[in-house]
Amino acid sequence: MAADAAPRRVRPAARLAGELTVPGDKSISHRALLLNALAAGTARVCGLGLGADVRSTERCLKALGVAIEPDGAEGRVVHGAGRDGLREPDDVLDAGNSGTTMRFLCGVLAGQPFLSVLTGDASLRRRPMARVLDPLRAMGAQAWGRADGTLAPLAIRGGGLRGLDYALPVASAQLKSALLLASLYADSPTHLREPAASRDHTERLLRAQGVALQTDGLDLWLTPPSQPPRAVDIDVPGDFSSAAFWLVAACVHPAARVTVRGVGVNPGRTGLLDVLRDMGARLTLANERDVGGEPVADVTAASSDLRGVAIGGDVIPRLLDEVPVLAVAMAVARGASRIDDAAELRVKESDRLHAVAAELTALGATVTERPDGLDFAGGARLRGASVASYDDHRLAMALAVAGLVASGETTIQGAESVVISYPAFWDHLAALAA
Ligand code: S3P
């Protein structure tokens, strides 16, 4: 992964205080580049979260013939190729660690009358792809993958797509978005139904681009546009999933007050705020505003007396990526906690149910793993230990938060994985703990 492969040592912080901004939202950054790449016209995108995942999307789009130029530190100018302007890549497309890149590209490539081959790192090559390839085949694309069409590397020859009428088997924004992208290329409308609401950034951006997209509860209808989508300038808000580490850190720390400015607070992403409030967290939102069709706020969290809680059902897709750090809060809160309906976490960058249970146990918490969730005894007094990140960025950062409130020193192996979504994470930790 990165050059810096040394483990990171985290010591308990006497206090945590300060204000900061986090990198641009990773989900919105992928979409801002990709949807503008398929648009007519030129778009300026600023505030991108340029971790390794978003760079993977950028690299693959360039390999498909899209012109993208730097524009300041975190900006890009995307010269839309138009809906039909991509060209056959002359090499394998490498999505790195990024499930979003691979699944979104499957949707786009299903619409292209040429052959593409997609691969990724060892983690991505273990993640399920049949959920995307099966419906794309039903639309008329040809698609192949290792292990009987379930794993990358994948090969796709697209074109000639029909609209789809499909009930998604999992609440997955990556799957939903891949199918919406493919449906831009179909000869008839597509209807999708989600089992529970997943994040809706793709829908918001497609609408802003002038695409006819209707939603009603969990149902979505997309009519393929006769004109390419419009290019739209985007100011990407801060990533709530990155802010989550500091919000939980402040809640569990006895002497803390942290403000994260300019964070995206799309309700499809902020299940963590609802759950932390139910646990008794001191959280405030200020300066709530709309930035380019996405809600944004400054979020402050302070030392809290947390109590245990049981969660499951519809809130899970709204806090999917926050479970590793929420688990730290549940481990130390007063009383028992429980997470249900979270089997999807087993097929993220790592098996996050297993990884969270094993590593928080190593730090002295009482956590047990179930097939679709976790049980926490609560009230843990964490003790520093050597823990593994499973090369999973969110595990590494959640364990760092645990280390800030553990006694003694916590050593995190594979800590460089933070470059996937939050390259400045360790610097920000040092600044807040100073
Ligand atoms: C993402 C959707 C989520 C999330 C991932 C990013 C997206 O996955 O875990 O980190 O940008 O659409 P699902 O496809 O499981 O919803």
Side-chain angles (χ1 to χ4, degrees):
M1 200 169 279
D4 166 22
R8 283 280 172 168
R9 291 174 215 290
V10 179
R11 301 207 42 92
R15 60 195 267 280
L16 282 181
E19 296 187 359
L20 77 166
T21 57
V22 291
D25 186 283
K26 183 158 82 73
S27 289
I28 297 174
S29 297
H30 286 294
R31 287 158 173 85
L33 295 176
L34 182 59
L35 289 171
N36 276 314
L38 305 179
T42 294
R44 294 184 78 150
V45 184
C46 62
L48 284 160
L50 289 172
D53 272 9
V54 173
R55 290 183 192 271
S56 290
T57 288
E58 181 182 22
R59 189 177 58 243
C60 291
L61 290 171
K62 286 181 172 170
L64 287 161
V66 182
I68 303 176
E69 296 164 61
D71 184 28
E74 282 135 12
R76 293 290 186 267
V77 175
V78 182
H79 299 277
R83 208 178 42 159
D84 301 308
L86 301 182
R87 62 159 165 76
E88 185 173 81
D90 57 18
D91 201 350
V92 173
L93 298 170
D94 186 356
N97 191 243
S98 175
T100 308
T101 305
M102 181 168 282
R103 293 188 175 125
F104 280 31
L105 284 178
C106 286
V108 172
L109 297 171
Q112 312 304 318
F114 54 68
L115 182 83
S116 307
V117 180
L118 280 156
T119 193
D121 71 5
S123 153
L124 187 53
R125 284 184 273 112
R126 287 191 292 268
R127 297 180 64 185
M129 294 298 151
R131 56 175 65 180
V132 184
L133 297 191
D134 290 346
L136 293 176
R137 280 198 208 93
M139 295 178 82
Q142 292 179 278
W144 302 268
R146 206 161 54 83
D148 208 15
T150 62
L151 298 176
L154 311 174
I156 298 179
R157 180 182 289 284
L161 299 188
R162 303 176 285 277
L164 183 70
D165 188 358
Y166 190 64
L168 278 64
V170 279
S172 159
Q174 293 175 356
L175 170 56
K176 172 177 64 176
S177 301
L179 299 180
L180 290 174
L181 288 163
S183 67
L184 293 174
Y185 293 90
D187 65 0
S188 54
T190 283
H191 166 228
L192 303 177
R193 186 174 169 82
E194 292 194 90
S198 65
R199 63 193 69 189
D200 67 352
H201 307 300
T202 304
E203 295 91 308
R204 287 175 190 248
L205 186 46
L206 281 172
R207 277 205 201 92
Q209 292 187 294
V211 174
L213 180 88
Q214 275 88 45
T215 51
D216 180 12
L218 299 173
D219 290 282
L220 289 90
W221 293 265
L222 185 145
T223 303
S226 49
Q227 301 292 317
R230 279 196 296 274
V232 287
D233 293 343
I234 298 171
D235 186 358
V236 181
D239 197 326
F240 183 81
S241 297
S242 298
F245 297 103
W246 310 128
L247 301 178
V248 171
C251 288
V252 298
H253 193 282
R257 183 180 179 84
V258 174
T259 297
V260 191
R261 297 217 177 274
V263 190
V265 287
N266 180 316
R269 297 285 297 282
T270 52
L272 177 76
L273 295 181
D274 301 342
V275 172
L276 285 175
R277 284 201 182 100
D278 285 350
M279 296 176 80
R282 291 164 64 209
L283 285 168
T284 48
L285 265 63
N287 199 11
E288 292 182 59
R289 54 211 189 262
D290 178 286
V291 178
E294 289 279 349
V296 173
D298 302 335
V299 187
T300 300
S303 310
S304 306
D305 181 18
L306 298 182
R307 50 182 180 268
V309 73
I311 64 166
D314 290 356
V315 78
I316 299 298
R318 297 181 50 237
L319 51 69
L320 205 57
D321 293 341
E322 288 66 70
V323 167
V325 74
L326 175 59
V328 177
M330 289 180 161
V332 301
R334 253 183 312 115
S337 290
R338 179 181 173 99
I339 301 177
D340 280 304
D341 308 317
E344 195 55 19
L345 288 167
R346 294 207 181 271
V347 292
K348 291 292 176 188
E349 287 85 328
S350 67
D351 174 346
R352 287 185 176 158
L353 294 183
H354 172 74
V356 160
E359 302 314 302
L360 288 182
T361 299
L363 291 171
T366 305
V367 187
T368 46
E369 189 185 338
R370 280 180 286 99
D372 77 333
L374 295 167
D375 281 317
F376 301 82
R381 300 170 89 83
L382 301 179
R383 316 177 287 274
S386 174
V387 286
S389 71
Y390 300 67
D391 290 328
D392 180 336
H393 55 134
R394 299 205 198 280
L395 243 295
M397 293 186 275
L399 292 168
V401 170
L404 287 171
V405 292
S407 58
E409 189 174 85
T410 299
T411 303
I412 301 168
Q413 311 292 336
E416 70 281 5
S417 59
V418 303
V419 299
I420 293 298
S421 60
Y422 197 165
F425 178 82
W426 299 111
D427 296 337
H428 288 186
L429 183 148
L432 289 175

